[in-house]
Amino acid sequence: MVMRKLQLELPLNQTQKVRFKRAMERLQFLSSTTNNSVIVADSIHEDAFLLKGHGTSEVDGELMATVCGVVTHVDKLVYIRTLRARYKPEVKDIVVGRVIEVSKSCWRLELNSTKDGILKLSSMDNDVQRRKTYVDELNMRNIIVEDDVVCAEVGCIHRDGGLELRATSYKYGKLEKGQHLMVDPYLVKRSNIHFHYIESLGIDLIIGRNGFIWVGEHVQAQDHMILDDEMIKHTSLETRQSILRIGNAIRVLSNLGFTMTLEVIMETFNLSNAENIDVYDMLGSEFHVLVAENELERRIRRA
Amino acid sequence: MNRVQAGNELGFRVGFSGHGGHLRVEPLYTAERDDAVNSLPDFVSPPAFAKETKESIKKHIEEKYLLPRLEPDQFSAEKAENQWDFDWFSRVKVPLQPSLPRSVVVPTWELPFRRQKVDTENGAWEPKSVEVDLSEQMYGDQDSGFFPRMVGPPKDFLRGSVNNRPFRPGGLEDSQSSERVLPEGVSSGQWVQELLNGGPAQTVPPSFKQSLDLGDLMPYPQTWSVYEDQSSHGNASDENSSKLSIQFDDLFKKAWEEDTFSELERDAGSESPKAEAEPEAKASISNEVSKGLETDITVLDEILSSAKTAILTDEAVTGNSDKQLLKEGWATKGDSQDIADRFYELVPDMAIEFPFELDNFQKEAICCLEKGESVFVAAHTSAGKTVVAEYAFALATKHCTRAVYTAPIKTISNQKYRDFCGKFDVGLLTGDVSIRPEASCLIMTTEILRSMLYRGADIIRDIEWVIFDEVHYVNDVERGVVWEEVIIMLPRHINFVLLSATVPNTFEFADWIGRTKQKEIRVTGTTKRPVPLEHCLFYSGELYKVCENEVFIPKGIKDAKDSQKKKTSNAVSVAPKQYTGSSAHQDGNKSQKHEAHSRGKQNKHSSAKDVGKSSYSGNSQNNGAFRRSAASNWLLLINKLSKKSLLPVVVFCFSKNYCDRCADALTGTDLTSSSEKSEIRLFCDKAFSRLKGSDRNLPQVLRVQSLLHRGIGVHHAGLLPIVKEVVEMLFCRGVIKVLFSTETFAMGVNAPARTVVFDALRKFDGKEFRQLLPGEYTQMAGRAGRRGLDKTGTVVVMCRDEVPDESDLRRVIVGSATRLESQFRLTYIMILHLLRVEELKVEDMLKRSFAEFHAQKKLPEKQQLLMRKRSLPIKNIECIKGEPAIEDYYDMYMEANEYNNKMSEAVMQSPYAQNFLVPGRVVVMKSGTGIDNLLGVVLKGPSNTNRQYVVLVTKSEIPPPEKNMVSIGKKSSEPSQGYFIAPKSKRGFEEEFYTKPSSRKGSVVIKIELPYHGVAAGVGYEAKGFDNKEFLCICDSKIKIDQVRLLEDGNKSAFSQTVQQLLDLKSDGNKYPPPLDPIKDLKLKDAESVETYYKWTSLLQKMSMNKCHGCVKLEEHMKLAREIKKHKTDLKDLEFQMSDEALLQMPAFQGRIDVLKNIGCIDDDLVVQIKGRVACEMNSGEELICTVCLFENQFEELEPEEAVAIMSAFVFQQKNTSAPSLTSKLAKAKQRLYDTAIRLGELQAQYNLQIDPEEYAQENLKFGLVEVVYEWAKGTPFAEICELTDVPEGLIVRTIVRLDETCREFKNAAAIMGNSALHKKMDAASNAIKRDIVFAASLYVTGV
């Protein structure tokens, strides 16, 4: 599917086409052992006594998939990890979202989930802990307005799928001076670290579990007062270029459907530097092919 | 723009204005008009604009846009007739918000909340105020209960949800640096310097980065300085003022004089004549006198003020008595008497009034509660700890917050619920019931509180108090960990009320809690009993008093012993046949004893079964005998007691079966009056009426009822809950005279008796028979004596065969209770929960556990030590040979030493070595200082008188002759060194050696002084006795020596010759000649020692290659190196102790983490996976087995009834039961589950956890009730299922009740896995078991 889409979109010349095809085929070959993706109503051929998990259903004695995705086994539990679906939240996930509405005492965030995330004023940690008053509610726009990008943590999930977010720690909150990217949620694996600080470039990289990724200038966790002062400072050209480069690297990886980890992203970033590819050329066909080949190489190395 | 000069005569002028060149007529007022014509402007206007060039345009634009200014015409000063009548700047309201102050001053309030009597001087009352750091306050708020957190759905309000995160536990040091950041100048002292010395004025406001940009207005460079001579200045002004005042005095001299005189006369008659005597010097005298007067006044003032201060200090003493408390860490202890005295002053408005006068410790505790402090109350049972709990409840009600009361067992919580019901707004939360959970006072079991904490229930935010009753339960092996967990997990805003029995280390425990919570804990309590106890022995119908008022009376026990002796001698002498014959008494005792002791073994099983089958009508011979003997014995006691009117009595037996049998043995006894009988009957009928028809006729119900009618009660875990409650309630009413009970009755249930009887002083604790612990004894004995009813409580220890030893009795009665000890252990569920929490790591939990308390307490000291050690300058070794290799050398040296020790044993002890150590053999010796090794030659082997070798060694340095003398003196004073030359050393000073013309060879007598020093061939040498341990190595070569000349004559030339020979060997290149071959020469057989020998010799060679070898400063450097090395190891040691790795539980933690990884609950990065999330839900059973069995889908083919039956294995706890007969399906499922457990056990054992798979499986899976539960779930009446097993009814009910909880957990797990079938199945199973007697509500809860 990825290939088809890419081939339609990317103007590959003949050699590139061949190279790309080869790389993708070999990649597929490498992962063929675990390739058990299904689409809706595919029957899952398994032994008896399976525990049906999420995304499965038994119809006429046959186990069927109710979503598209990859069949996953945990012992006898069979459930389907969805691909290309919306983000399915879990508690304590770190997410990045865009504010779509400032409503009464809360902000609504687009998270690519089935429901909007709700970040209440009370779960927003301002610099000063104070009683959240009516005045505060009126001043909510001073903190975050529509279209701001916010990083938060999933606090709890209601039975109906409603999401409550929390930004109680200093590391959460509004994100500025950077780029907001959206990839498919399945490309982001849960890990212990979602906040990355690439020291050599002075860049913060937040890989939200919901597939929203933030690349921005590094912000030191400091008093808000001082932070305000720093806003005056401009991001240097170099940093901006790095942000864009990483952003494009992520885009390429997303196009190709590779899992986002810091390692892969940085490798792609370095590849673009090594191959001397300009930022604006990164989305071109040549780089796509290069990244695919690089990924292939990496997997062979690991295997 | 430029004004056109049109004319100056006209009253107007024409000008151009604006950029477009508009014509404008402007009247001119000031100009005079004489020539109108001349003044006409020529209308040939000059070009309005210069020709446009690039520059001009640019200039124009620049002028227009970049240099904005007011139109000069319009706004010129002379023309400005109209003025702006408002001030822009005052109108502009800049929303200047002052930054928050760092600290605020708030009035302090101290109990009692009253104005103080002693006011300030001006008569106005000023409340004391104190500066409070605002950031701290804020931090506290923020921390207390995570207020920014969202309130969850009401459904999860109480119990929380797995999806919630726990609240941040209190007492955590904040990782997020909420510490207030002080500006740089503050910490560096710069600000202070500035204040003291002056300097340029600050232009940048604090916390701003730059100052206001004033543009052209440069800030006036001003400085401010401080008066250097402030004091002198002050003095000057003082002088001035004094001068002035004197002048002033002069003015009013007269008035002053008069005044003073009159006053003087009044005041001091002695002084007045003096003043009168010299009228001339009036002025001076008056001055003097006035001074004296002043001093008088000041004295008065002083007296007054001192009185005042006395009052004040008094106040301070009483008010701040906490400060003067014995303070040790976080636990404080105060003088309760002091508080008690002023109690009503301190707490004028009590939240709840008690109808009786409070004890001192109660007053103290209440006072602390009022202040919002945590309290630890340690007192005996029934000393009135509950009062404190009640007060906390009352306070919570008053403050509109919540209080939580946790009890270790459900019976207590039920009873407390009933007790508190009338007084407070109470709710009850246990595993199976949940009544009024919205109430402000909640009673719950500790496990519930723990799960609430882990799940972060919102209710936690409202809680102000948590009352832990019977907190000494931390000692419980199985459940103690729960208390620790809860204490560690509680958020900061919650205060503690800890109630405990008296334990020796209350203070330590309180200190731990205080430290973990960073909160002061007030320790109070009493060792006094409200009703004093009398301890007696009961032996063959007689009571012997052994202890009264905590004083042990040995006489009593002696009497008992005497009577025992008498009796046994009687028995022996009178009739052995009686013994074997019908002396039922003794015989019965024997058999009973035997039975009691073999109870834990297989015997129990059969006898229990027997009892069950025959429904408690023992008909075997044994039983009959037992019954007779026991009955007679008990009857004897009961009669005795009732004669002394010591009923009601609680008899503590340590087994359920034994309880039953004792009660049943008393067949003919009837202890109740008719009115009591009717009361009992009525109560029973009412209570049991809530049971379903067939359940009312359960054998147990009937049996107990019949017992109750006769005034006899039974109480143990085997009873049905409802029966148990009936017994408890009737006992509290005082109609039950004799109650046979197990230890559980002593735990918290508030049902005191007049007398307590111990059936035995030994009990079976699940593993072995052991003596009762003093703590247990105290707890049970504490049931004796009803407060307000009895003067004393009686405790009786039954002695059947023999009187217990005095030491045993003493230990158990007056011994101190068991110390509180941590039973902390890691559980998988704890790890999983904690891995999901960001704030609290597992290591943190471990660190805060009571077990680690002492280590953690010392941490700050260690930290300081570490800092100190680190800051020590590291000494550098300055080596003249370039880069110092001393460290390597030192290492090698140490290693060599180690080998050497090993070798010296192996080599030197070997007989072959002795052979080689003949005179003339070249050897390498250890030198006394231990640094360099010395080359030497053996001069003489060991003889009979002297076990030492005499060896001549060369030394690198030349000893000065004085040193020689000194060393001789020194050595001779040391017995070990100079023992055999001691007699000779007397004359050793004049002559260095003693010559004697003797020339016998072979048996050489040592004539010279040992050690003998000298210099030859430029090196020093020494002849000395050596132990064979001091030989480092025996060399290959031998040299010729002249023993006689050397040792007897001490001939210098002989010595120099020998030394020369040695040096020749040395100069071969190697430092030492090659050593002996261990195999060939020394004939070492042991492979290991050969190896070490080779290693060692090679090491020695290596050492000699090292640059440092032979260095002049080697010794010195070695010392340094040793110091450095020690320093380093110390550092490393300390660092290790500081690190998490030093925690006791760390290895177990690692192992468990590995197990979890292996199973797949967490991944390699410790991220909790779906399996882990399921495991988190499993509270009632072993989490791993439950989870694995779920994921293996073991319930798939089982019906709900079968599933729930299998699940009973998780919750059932009794080990030995009759084997259930199972259907093949169930048997298969059982086997599968068991195999799973075995597999898990093996896995854990593999990761170095101390687990035996078999034991693990059996410990966690007990299949005894599978059949019972299966039948129950299918709808079989309770009476029938009781027939299926020997398990007591009470346990069956308890198991099934807990099963319901398990069903709920499995249901939640199914939701996480997304399996609706399992969810439904569990629902059905839960419904199937929830019926009838098993889920009958508690009498305490519903009321009778």
Side-chain angles (χ1 to χ4, degrees), chain B residues 1013-1278:
Chain B
H1013 299 265
V1015 184
V1019 277
Y1021 62 88
E1022 187 181 28
K1024 206 170 132 187
F1026 284 98
D1027 276 330
N1028 60 3
K1029 266 189 199 151
E1030 282 169 284
F1031 287 98
L1032 259 185
C1033 142
I1034 304 165
C1035 295
D1036 219 357
S1037 42
K1038 242 175 135 178
I1039 53 170
K1040 253 195 210 157
I1041 53 163
D1042 189 348
Q1043 263 185 323
V1044 179
R1045 279 179 68 204
L1046 281 172
L1047 291 174
E1048 292 193 2
D1049 307 345
N1051 194 327
K1052 276 207 171 168
S1053 64
F1055 273 111
S1056 57
Q1057 210 178 340
T1058 322
V1059 170
Q1060 193 58 52
Q1061 279 179 20
L1062 278 177
L1063 288 178
D1064 286 347
L1065 280 171
K1066 222 175 180 177
S1067 62
D1068 278 357
N1070 276 335
K1071 189 165 177 188
Y1072 303 122
L1076 285 177
D1077 190 90
I1079 302 164
K1080 246 191 262 163
D1081 301 335
L1082 292 175
K1083 311 231 164 32
L1084 283 182
K1085 301 227 169 54
D1086 191 0
E1088 198 182 327
S1089 53
V1090 171
E1091 199 178 312
T1092 35
Y1093 188 88
Y1094 275 128
K1095 262 191 208 160
W1096 171 56
T1097 44
S1098 74
L1099 205 65
L1100 284 183
Q1101 291 295 335
K1102 230 199 259 168
M1103 272 169 79
S1104 59
M1105 306 281 243
N1106 193 300
K1107 272 188 223 157
C1108 287
H1109 197 81
C1111 169
V1112 186
K1113 286 188 160 182
L1114 183 65
E1115 204 164 312
E1116 196 182 313
H1117 285 175
M1118 268 318 238
K1119 224 178 262 168
L1120 266 176
R1122 187 180 300 161
E1123 248 167 64
I1124 290 169
K1125 189 93 179 169
K1126 188 164 174 290
H1127 183 73
K1128 269 187 192 157
T1129 47
D1130 277 6
L1131 269 184
K1132 220 181 260 173
D1133 237 37
L1134 273 175
E1135 265 161 24
F1136 173 77
Q1137 279 171 13
M1138 303 279 300
S1139 71
D1140 287 342
E1141 308 300 314
L1143 295 174
L1144 291 178
Q1145 300 258 358
M1146 215 51 195
F1149 170 54
Q1150 283 303 341
R1152 278 170 195 262
I1153 285 280
D1154 290 341
V1155 169
L1156 286 175
K1157 272 185 197 164
N1158 188 296
I1159 293 172
C1161 286
I1162 51 177
D1163 68 4
D1164 288 337
D1165 303 326
L1166 305 186
V1167 180
V1168 177
Q1169 302 293 301
I1170 187 167
K1171 223 167 166 181
R1173 276 168 47 217
V1174 168
C1176 275
E1177 285 288 325
M1178 302 298 164
N1179 282 317
S1180 54
E1182 222 286 339
E1183 51 271 15
L1184 286 191
I1185 304 177
C1186 287
T1187 311
V1188 170
C1189 116
L1190 264 183
F1191 273 89
E1192 284 182 355
N1193 202 13
Q1194 298 196 356
F1195 296 134
E1196 171 71 23
E1197 78 273 37
L1198 300 179
E1199 293 301 310
E1201 294 84 20
E1202 291 164 329
V1204 79
I1206 286 295
M1207 277 158 63
S1208 75
F1210 294 128
V1211 294
F1212 183 52
Q1213 275 165 337
Q1214 191 172 316
K1215 255 186 200 161
N1216 302 309
T1217 54
S1218 56
S1221 59
L1222 301 175
T1223 61
S1224 65
K1225 207 167 160 193
L1226 275 177
K1228 224 170 85 191
K1230 173 192 157 183
Q1231 191 54 42
R1232 201 167 46 191
L1233 191 55
Y1234 188 77
D1235 290 344
T1236 311
I1238 291 280
R1239 213 172 55 237
L1240 282 171
E1242 276 163 0
L1243 183 74
Q1244 292 178 58
Q1246 194 186 322
Y1247 286 104
N1248 298 329
L1249 298 173
Q1250 303 302 317
I1251 284 173
D1252 176 40
E1254 288 279 332
E1255 204 178 293
Y1256 171 77
Q1258 275 159 13
E1259 198 64 34
N1260 291 303
L1261 294 176
K1262 303 207 176 81
F1263 292 100
L1265 280 188
V1266 172
E1267 185 191 7
V1268 175
V1269 174
Y1270 180 58
E1271 290 297 327
W1272 176 251
K1274 282 209 300 193
T1276 320
F1278 194 74

Side-chain angles (χ1 to χ4, degrees), chain B residues 115-285:
Chain B
R115 299 172 56 152
Q116 278 169 303
K117 290 264 165 32
V118 192
D119 289 343
T120 43
E121 293 146 47
N122 49 7
W125 172 67
E126 279 178 13
K128 280 183 192 165
S129 37
V130 70
E131 196 177 349
V132 175
D133 207 324
L134 208 62
S135 66
E136 209 169 87
Q137 289 297 97
M138 270 152 28
Y139 164 63
D141 270 357
Q142 199 170 9
D143 198 44
S144 67
F146 253 31
F147 272 92
R149 190 177 137 126
M150 204 108 324
V151 178
K155 166 181 74 67
D156 293 336
F157 178 72
L158 189 60
R159 307 239 179 190
S161 126
V162 248
N163 289 339
N164 278 1
R165 289 199 308 148
F167 290 90
R168 185 179 169 76
L172 275 186
E173 61 269 356
D174 208 37
S175 51
Q176 295 162 16
S177 75
S178 70
E179 220 172 281
R180 111 188 195 196
V181 186
L182 289 170
E184 202 181 327
V186 173
S187 34
S188 66
Q190 193 191 335
W191 287 14
V192 179
Q193 283 300 318
E194 214 164 275
L195 200 68
L196 288 174
N197 306 332
Q202 297 260 340
T203 51
V204 186
S207 83
F208 275 57
K209 278 214 154 166
Q210 58 195 57
S211 62
L212 187 65
D213 186 15
L214 296 170
D216 294 338
L217 288 169
M218 280 306 289
Y220 177 68
Q222 55 187 356
T223 57
W224 62 290
S225 55
V226 184
Y227 282 114
E228 286 294 330
D229 49 350
Q230 206 171 26
S231 55
S232 67
H233 176 79
N235 282 351
S237 70
D238 263 6
E239 274 168 31
N240 272 346
S241 63
S242 64
K243 260 183 214 159
L244 281 172
S245 71
I246 285 169
Q247 283 162 9
F248 189 75
D249 277 359
D250 284 344
L251 273 177
F252 294 94
K253 214 186 259 172
K254 276 249 151 83
W256 267 96
E257 276 166 22
E258 277 169 19
D259 263 20
T260 47
F261 276 120
S262 56
E263 270 195 39
L264 268 173
E265 269 157 20
R266 258 182 280 136
D267 263 25
S270 60
E271 265 181 76
S272 55
K274 203 168 140 203
E276 266 173 325
E278 286 209 3
E280 281 171 70
K282 258 178 197 169
S284 61
I285 284 176

Side-chain angles (χ1 to χ4, degrees), chain A residues 92, chain B residues 165-166 832-841:
Chain A
K92 278 211 70 194
Chain B
R165 289 199 308 148
L832 285 171
H833 272 300
L834 290 176
L835 283 178
R836 297 171 65 222
V837 191
E838 193 179 7
E839 276 81 15
L840 190 64
K841 286 191 297 179

Side-chain angles (χ1 to χ4, degrees), chain B residues 109-117 125 344-345 348:
Chain B
W109 303 92
E110 235 181 48
L111 289 167
F113 303 124
R114 283 201 193 132
R115 299 172 56 152
Q116 278 169 303
K117 290 264 165 32
W125 172 67
Y344 293 103
E345 207 178 308

Side-chain angles (χ1 to χ4, degrees), chain B residues 483-779:
Chain B
W483 271 255
E484 281 191 51
E485 269 178 85
V486 168
I487 288 170
I488 295 169
M489 289 287 297
L490 277 177
R492 178 177 156 130
H493 65 277
I494 293 178
N495 289 326
F496 294 84
V497 176
L498 301 140
L499 311 176
S500 140
T502 45
V503 279
N505 57 340
T506 37
F507 217 74
E508 188 191 2
F509 188 70
D511 198 16
W512 167 66
I513 296 173
R515 187 169 300 275
T516 36
K517 297 282 101 173
Q518 301 287 302
K519 210 176 244 203
E520 225 163 74
I521 299 214
R522 183 67 166 250
V523 178
T524 176
T526 179
T527 48
K528 204 191 88 198
R529 290 188 176 279
V531 184
L533 292 184
E534 251 177 41
H535 302 265
C536 302
L537 284 180
F538 181 78
Y539 184 72
S540 67
E542 276 304 315
L543 285 174
Y544 300 94
K545 197 180 279 181
V546 290
C547 181
E548 194 175 16
N549 292 329
E550 315 287 320
V551 181
F552 197 76
I553 309 168
K555 188 178 167 295
I557 197 161
K558 207 183 261 168
D559 290 348
K561 285 258 185 212
D562 287 346
S563 71
Q564 185 196 4
K565 250 180 237 158
K566 220 184 284 168
K567 198 171 171 189
T568 44
S569 62
N570 275 353
V572 168
S573 62
V574 171
K577 61 176 178 284
Q578 192 190 7
Y579 200 86
T580 47
S582 58
S583 168
H585 193 88
Q586 289 279 1
D587 195 28
N589 269 342
K590 266 262 163 110
S591 69
Q592 176 269 321
K593 198 92 184 172
H594 168 73
E595 239 180 73
H597 279 243
S598 56
R599 173 165 28 126
K601 288 145 203 147
Q602 79 282 25
N603 196 357
K604 174 201 173 196
H605 181 86
S606 61
S607 74
K609 185 109 188 166
D610 198 357
V611 170
K613 279 275 152 63
S614 58
S615 63
Y616 304 98
S617 58
N619 47 5
S620 72
Q621 193 70 27
N622 195 3
N623 244 353
F626 159 73
R627 171 186 280 188
R628 273 197 306 284
S629 77
S632 66
N633 219 343
W634 289 122
L635 270 177
L636 218 60
L637 178 66
I638 289 163
N639 285 337
K640 185 93 185 167
L641 292 178
S642 71
K643 235 182 271 164
K644 288 191 169 186
S645 70
L646 288 174
L647 295 179
V649 55
V650 177
V651 181
F652 283 110
C653 315
F654 298 109
S655 127
K656 296 175 207 123
N657 282 316
Y658 188 56
C659 268
D660 277 331
R661 279 186 291 161
C662 288
D664 290 329
L666 299 174
T667 38
T669 335
D670 194 344
L671 299 164
T672 46
S673 65
S674 57
S675 69
E676 282 170 340
K677 270 200 176 62
S678 73
E679 189 185 344
I680 293 168
R681 186 176 299 281
L682 264 175
F683 187 87
C684 285
D685 286 350
K686 224 159 66 185
F688 292 127
S689 68
R690 63 180 63 213
L691 296 181
K692 221 181 72 183
S694 65
D695 290 342
R696 257 179 253 173
N697 298 323
L698 283 172
Q700 189 183 59
V701 174
L702 294 178
R703 185 179 63 92
V704 171
Q705 231 168 327
S706 82
L707 280 175
L708 289 174
H709 286 310
R710 288 185 281 120
I712 299 167
V714 194
H715 186 279
H716 55 75
L719 295 182
L720 291 167
I722 191 166
V723 176
K724 216 154 70 178
E725 283 168 1
V726 165
V727 172
E728 281 162 18
M729 286 167 143
L730 283 174
F731 188 80
C732 287
R733 291 180 180 208
V735 290
I736 294 181
K737 303 298 183 210
V738 180
L739 177 68
F740 291 94
S741 95
T742 49
E743 207 179 338
T744 49
F745 190 74
M747 213 7 141
V749 182
N750 189 23
R754 186 123 203 219
T755 309
V756 162
V757 176
F758 285 91
D759 173 63
L761 287 180
R762 288 162 64 79
K763 78 168 207 179
F764 183 74
D765 65 350
K767 286 189 191 104
E768 48 167 4
F769 269 100
R770 60 169 170 82
Q771 287 280 327
L772 271 187
L773 295 173
E776 291 167 335
Y777 181 86
T778 318
Q779 178 87 31

